[in-house]
């Protein structure tokens, strides 16, 4: 395996996915070197191992252009491009109900820029909401390491405000008012289903 | 874009995914050149466009090893490998309930070989079943172009038979007895939710 970074940029699979972080670099997280995505994945593994829920991250969508088939070894993808995801990153099942969410991190201290979300992700969450699924977003402020849970319908208020010419972000005050701040733990790390349970069941 | 097939093999994204077909070649389908995956994707688009359900195929999981970042153009993945999926290919939401399924095609005329499924896909469907989700499989016989719907618990009977040393396939008679043959249409092409509706609601 050869690693070539002609631009001096490090490759991070997370930075390339929909869960892109502002700079593409890993954000230190409670000095554990964990990213938001890693914490959510561990949380989902905890839920799965304990029979609580079945929630997985979707693979990063990739457009494959060229594949080599060396003799006696695995197929190698030699040319491919990142595609924009058409849905959110996480979905699954909790107590019979469909769960669907996106997780985003910002280095911004006072607001969450809505450019972190794509219009088709909003459309997707809207479709989920209409079909009686549970759609929400997790927002992490890197500076304070706080994570907020926001229901889709709250998020959508601010999305609509932007579409009507209003500000292109949600202020932290608004997130504190309309979202729920998650307590962080060890097992699981980010117990977002506790909030799902209290808000939807 | 360069296409190199040193082995004389053609690249097919479907053949490389979990929805692998026995030969890796496209099977003619009602002379329309459509694969099972394409028909299911079109069906899902129909469901989505008509507000019936929100069901998507998960992207093919890929392990990315090397990415180049050319100046002023999109990141290019230069080395990556296909990973075995840890879940099924399709999931989503229908009338508030979680839907999860795998679709497989066989050229075998008299039975469906269970080697088309991975043990962890069975485990995943079992987890979905335990959380009150709707898990099933679609089996297509390429020779007759018939598609059968089989609930996970029926499929699991045959999986257990294999694990207990029994036959490594489900005979077509068993599939006809325990599954439901789907009528094929134009819009949608494979109306599997009609069967979901009659079996689970």
């Amino acid at each position: 395996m050869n690693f070539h970074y002609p631009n001096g940029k490090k490759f991070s699979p997370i930075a390339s996915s929909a869960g892109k972080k502002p700079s593409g670099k890993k954000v230190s997280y409670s000095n554990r070197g964990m990213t938001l995505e890693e914490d959510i994945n561990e949380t989902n593994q905890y839920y799965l191992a304990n029979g609580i829920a079945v929630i997985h991250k979707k693979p990063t969508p990739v457009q494959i252009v060229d594949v080599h088939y060396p003799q006696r070894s695995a197929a190698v993808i030699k040319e491919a491009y990142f595609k924009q995801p058409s849905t959110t990153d996480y979905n699954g099942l909790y107590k019979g109900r469909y769960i669907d969410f996106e997780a985003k991190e910002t280095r911004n201290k006072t607001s969450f820029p809505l450019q972190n979300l794509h219009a088709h992700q909003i459309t997707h969450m809207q479709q989920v909401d209409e079909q009686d699924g549970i759609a929400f977003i997790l927002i992490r402020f890197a500076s304070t390491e706080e994570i907020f849970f926001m229901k889709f319908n709250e998020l959508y208020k601010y999305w609509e405000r932007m579409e009507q010419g209003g500000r292109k972000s949600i202020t932290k005050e608004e997130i504190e008012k309309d979202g729920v701040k998650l307590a962080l733990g060890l097992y699981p790390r980010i117990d977002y289903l506790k909030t799902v349970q209290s808000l939807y069941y």
Side-chain angles (χ1 to χ4, degrees), chain A residues 4 6-8 25 28 86 99 123 148 151 178 181 196 200:
Chain A
H4 297 299
N7 261 10
K25 281 195 283 178
S28 116
S86 50
I99 302 287
T123 304
F148 293 89
K151 291 172 84 161
D178 291 336
K181 187 174 162 179
V196 167
Y200 299 89

Side-chain angles (χ1 to χ4, degrees), chain A residues 1 11 45 67 76 81 91-93 96 164 175-176 179 190 193 198:
Chain A
M1 297 184 208
F11 166 64
Q45 280 165 27
V67 182
V76 191
Y81 298 89
N91 78 353
L93 170 67
Q164 284 153 15
I175 292 171
E176 283 167 341
I190 304 169
L193 286 182
S198 71

